Amino acid sequence: MKAAPEDQVVLLDLQRLDNDVTRLSHRITSLQKGDRLTELGATAASLRAELVAATGKAEDAERDLARLESDIATAQARIQRDTTMLQNVSNAKDAAGLQSEMESLDRRVGDLETAELEVMEQLDVHRGRVGDLEAQLAQVEADRAALVGERDAEIARVEADRESAVQSRAAVAAKVPADLLALYDRQRARYGFGASLLQGGVSTASGVTLTASDLQRIRQAAPDDVVLCPDSDAILVRTAESGL
């Protein structure tokens, strides 16, 4: 294929813009994945699970406490009833029975109050744990919301840069002859690079110094010959920097 040297040089600008579009597209993809957001999401999910468990324990303790308070109230009511009955009973046997029951109820109340104190202590611990988890979860969600805002703003900025690069790429591509552009696009799609500058005997696409035989072959090519890089298969653009 033949192409004017000045048209071939334009391919370097095209390659640079394509590199920019690719880089910016990868940046957008990376931002959308949001590794830190994923980490915060996992942390929030774990905290929610812990919060559900801690809340369940607190609710169980509250139910236990309510039951104990009810049992204490019932026992105390019976003591009050027996005390009143004892004041009015005249039969010694009945009085002894009431006295025995009251003593048993007193012990029962003592045991219930001991259990009540233990449950109250447990409830304080569970409520404290719930409070701590709620605070941690609120902080994680606040951090995540802030990060989402920063991410969205950064994506918008990068998307604007990418759109600008796409438009610039279209403007540059319009300057390239159709057959040369088609070859560039084909090589880039296949090998990742469509054009490569030969600079000091080195192909910038591959970073490899061309062999003496390759350089000799390139020296023999006409200035308007389209030459492919033997290493990257990109169109090898020759300029005064090529070292030929």
Side-chain angles (χ1 to χ4, degrees), residues 8 22 37 40 47 60 62 71 82 110-111 116 125 134-135 141 163 168 170 175 184 201 203 209 219 226 233:
Q8 294 187 45
T22 298
L37 281 174
L40 288 174
L47 287 171
D60 288 344
E62 287 171 350
D71 290 347
D82 288 353
D111 291 341
E116 181 186 34
V125 171
E134 287 176 338
E141 289 179 337
E163 181 58 29
S168 296
K175 301 176 184 178
Y184 167 88
S203 170
T209 300
R219 289 190 189 97
V226 176
D233 283 309

Side-chain angles (χ1 to χ4, degrees), residues 45-66:
S46 177
L47 287 171
R48 288 191 193 96
E50 290 185 57
L51 181 57
V52 168
T55 301
K57 290 179 180 179
E59 290 173 348
D60 288 344
E62 287 171 350
R63 283 191 290 270
D64 289 343
L65 183 60

Side-chain angles (χ1 to χ4, degrees), residues 44 48 136-146:
R48 288 191 193 96
Q136 291 178 49
L137 181 58
Q139 185 60 58
V140 169
E141 289 179 337
D143 291 345
R144 190 173 187 279

Side-chain angles (χ1 to χ4, degrees), residues 14-240:
L14 196 61
Q15 181 66 69
R16 176 181 57 78
L17 289 166
D18 279 332
N19 290 344
D20 288 344
V21 171
T22 298
R23 174 179 55 79
L24 293 168
S25 296
H26 287 164
R27 175 61 177 158
I28 291 171
T29 298
S30 176
L31 287 168
Q32 289 171 336
K33 287 180 179 178
D35 292 341
R36 177 58 179 160
L37 281 174
T38 300
E39 178 185 338
L40 288 174
T43 299
S46 177
L47 287 171
R48 288 191 193 96
E50 290 185 57
L51 181 57
V52 168
T55 301
K57 290 179 180 179
E59 290 173 348
D60 288 344
E62 287 171 350
R63 283 191 290 270
D64 289 343
L65 183 60
R67 177 181 54 80
L68 288 167
E69 288 173 343
S70 176
D71 290 347
I72 290 170
T74 299
Q76 288 175 335
R78 289 179 62 185
I79 291 172
Q80 183 61 42
R81 182 203 64 182
D82 288 353
T83 300
T84 301
M85 290 177 63
L86 185 61
Q87 292 171 352
N88 298 316
V89 71
S90 58
N91 185 291
K93 182 177 180 181
D94 291 342
L98 287 171
Q99 188 64 45
S100 176
E101 181 175 309
M102 290 172 60
E103 291 172 357
S104 177
L105 287 170
D106 279 336
R107 289 193 296 273
R108 170 70 172 158
V109 168
D111 291 341
L112 289 171
E113 287 178 342
T114 298
E116 181 186 34
L117 288 173
E118 292 175 355
V119 171
M120 290 176 68
E121 290 175 357
Q122 293 172 4
L123 181 56
D124 286 343
V125 171
H126 295 321
R127 284 175 174 169
R129 179 60 175 161
V130 167
D132 288 343
L133 289 170
E134 287 176 338
Q136 291 178 49
L137 181 58
Q139 185 60 58
V140 169
E141 289 179 337
D143 291 345
R144 190 173 187 279
L147 195 58
V148 166
E150 293 173 3
R151 179 205 63 183
D152 291 348
E154 179 67 5
I155 287 176
R157 186 190 67 77
V158 176
E159 283 181 338
D161 290 345
R162 183 170 70 91
E163 181 58 29
S164 176
V166 167
Q167 292 177 2
S168 296
R169 197 264 185 202
V172 171
K175 301 176 184 178
V176 180
D179 56 347
L180 182 61
L181 180 61
L183 176 61
Y184 167 88
D185 286 336
R186 184 167 64 250
Q187 298 304 102
R188 183 172 179 274
R190 288 177 178 174
Y191 307 110
F193 286 92
S196 175
L197 173 65
L198 180 61
Q199 188 174 41
V202 177
S203 170
T204 56
S206 64
V208 174
T209 300
L210 272 60
T211 65
S213 59
D214 285 334
L215 288 172
Q216 182 59 32
R217 176 178 58 80
I218 293 168
R219 289 190 189 97
Q220 293 172 352
D224 61 352
D225 282 341
V226 176
V227 178
L228 298 183
C229 172
D231 293 302
S232 67
D233 283 309
I235 296 170
L236 197 62
V237 179
R238 293 159 289 162
T239 68

